[in-house]
Amino acid sequence: MNAPDRAALRLTQFSHGGGCGCKIAPAVLSQMLARTVPGVLPPQLLVGVETADDAAVYQINGSQAIVATTDFFMPIVDDPFDFGAIAATNALSDVYAMGATPLFALALVGMPIDRLPVETMRSVLEGGEAICAKAGIPVAGGHTIDSVEPIYGLAAIGLVDPRHLKRNAGARPADVLILGKPLGVGIYSAALKKGRLNAKRYATMLASTTQLNTPGIALGRSEAVHALTDVTGFGLLGHLLEVCRASRIGARIAFDRLPLHPAVVELAREGSVTGASARNWASYGDDVALAGGLGDAERVLLTDPQTSGGLLAACAPDAVDSVLAVFRNEGFERACVIGECVAGPARARVD
């Protein structure tokens, strides 16, 4: 039995990739940006492109900075309302990952208008609007185009006190790594396309991908949290390596401590994997050491593109309980310690 589908059309049939699996592979992106000439760099620009962080940050006064980000992609699910909700949650995550509070959003919409009913397109927008309402912000406008594939996302604007700003840089040796959500969304999405995802697993995926990463606000105020990011299209290892490079440290994680969505290992072994997982590994696998007992399924999970994935925090060892309490208070029951930061080159080891 496949996941329930209210729409007569399958949105995923229009897309060559879905969710954050649509992201350009890290290695290709690096090549694209390698010769980019820096433009105007005012001192008020606190965060730009230098460490591949989650959002741009521009300081406007001593206690306020604007956080700006954008995220959009093709359908990861067939239900239009669910697609809009997932895409909006994913876009707002980058604001929370900076320790900021969302202010408003603009919708980014591309639709094959001659192939989709107006009701279907409207339902996508309603899904995004519902998540923004849950976050307490308006969708204050946007832009639409006629496109070959359905595309939806947001440009999200937030506000943060510069003293509470969190970056993917700043992690220290001996910091503890905490992950906020289970892994396996990309595997679930691949299983959905193949008709192998049952209704229970679909509900699990939807609950995870529409859970706003609100703990980021409180984590931003904690001096014991030294670095913060979210895990999305480059997979756990890809975003962990971004933290390592930005912080000039290494990391060690324990595979058996990773929170996983139910049945993802079995689904991966059955072939429900995304092309993005292989592209991710090709991009950064040289900087990863896998323990001998870890096979292809485990590697796929470590590189699996997470759409609207969890926050990844690096915190002082004596702050673990308080950081986990922040997650628990916001309903993230499966947040857990997955490893630690270590002195050394920007590499990751998985035991």
Side-chain angles (χ1 to χ4, degrees):
M1 177 183 177
N2 202 30
D5 182 4
R6 294 198 300 267
L9 295 173
R10 295 192 66 184
L11 285 183
T12 55
Q13 78 186 50
F14 295 96
S15 58
H16 74 280
C20 285
C22 298
K23 290 181 76 166
I24 293 174
V28 177
L29 183 60
S30 295
Q31 294 173 18
M32 290 171 58
L33 300 178
R35 297 184 180 180
T36 302
V37 178
V40 177
L41 294 174
Q44 296 92 342
L45 184 64
L46 303 182
V47 182
V49 301
E50 56 278 354
T51 65
D53 218 325
D54 296 302
V57 182
Y58 192 95
Q59 187 167 357
I60 54 177
N61 58 46
S63 61
Q64 294 177 312
I66 294 293
V67 175
T69 183
T70 185
D71 226 309
F72 53 89
F73 46 63
M74 282 83 81
I76 186 175
V77 294
D78 294 312
D79 184 285
F81 185 93
D82 293 349
F83 168 43
I86 292 168
T89 309
N90 180 75
L92 292 176
S93 179
D94 286 339
V95 175
Y96 293 121
M98 306 302 291
T101 301
L103 288 178
F104 65 91
L106 305 174
L108 307 173
V109 184
M111 293 289 163
I113 58 174
D114 59 341
R115 301 174 70 192
L116 286 180
V118 171
E119 298 78 22
T120 298
M121 295 185 282
R122 179 59 206 161
S123 187
V124 174
L125 303 186
E126 289 173 347
E129 290 163 356
I131 289 298
C132 287
K134 183 179 177 181
I137 64 170
V139 179
H143 185 66
T144 60
I145 61 168
D146 182 6
S147 62
V148 176
E149 298 176 281
I151 298 170
Y152 180 74
L154 302 175
I157 306 299
L159 191 68
V160 68
D161 186 322
R163 295 169 296 182
H164 300 154
L165 172 65
K166 295 302 179 191
R167 301 193 54 176
N168 62 3
R172 308 170 187 176
D175 273 358
V176 175
L177 294 166
I178 295 175
L179 180 62
K181 291 184 183 181
L183 302 172
V185 170
I187 291 169
Y188 273 0
S189 70
L192 177 67
K193 271 199 165 185
K194 294 184 176 185
R196 297 177 180 172
L197 193 71
N198 63 35
K200 183 178 180 180
R201 302 296 178 233
Y202 182 85
T204 297
M205 180 176 74
L206 184 62
S208 178
T209 54
T210 57
Q211 186 175 26
L212 290 163
N213 275 325
T214 51
I217 299 173
L219 296 177
R221 300 190 182 107
S222 172
E223 293 183 1
V225 175
H226 301 143
L228 190 64
T229 190
D230 61 347
V231 178
T232 54
F234 297 158
L236 172 63
L237 285 179
H239 293 285
L240 175 60
L241 284 168
E242 287 182 339
V243 172
C244 290
R245 292 165 187 151
S247 307
R248 300 181 180 180
I249 58 165
R252 182 169 59 240
I253 61 176
F255 187 85
D256 61 3
R257 301 188 73 173
L258 297 179
L260 303 177
H261 284 304
V264 289
V265 175
E266 293 81 0
L267 287 169
R269 288 175 178 157
E270 293 170 1
S272 293
V273 299
T274 68
S277 179
R279 293 191 295 272
N280 284 340
W281 181 253
S283 295
Y284 54 67
D286 288 345
D287 292 327
V288 179
L290 296 180
L294 300 178
D296 290 343
E298 289 80 9
R299 175 179 52 78
V300 165
L301 276 160
L302 291 162
T303 57
D304 187 51
Q306 302 305 290
T307 299
S308 191
L311 294 174
L312 177 63
C315 70
D318 60 2
V320 168
D321 289 345
S322 62
V323 169
L324 287 174
V326 169
F327 279 107
R328 301 283 186 268
N329 290 339
E330 296 285 341
F332 290 75
E333 297 300 327
R334 298 197 62 193
C336 64
V337 172
I338 64 168
E340 63 181 343
C341 300
V342 297
R347 293 175 54 81
R349 175 175 175 79
V350 186
D351 296 319

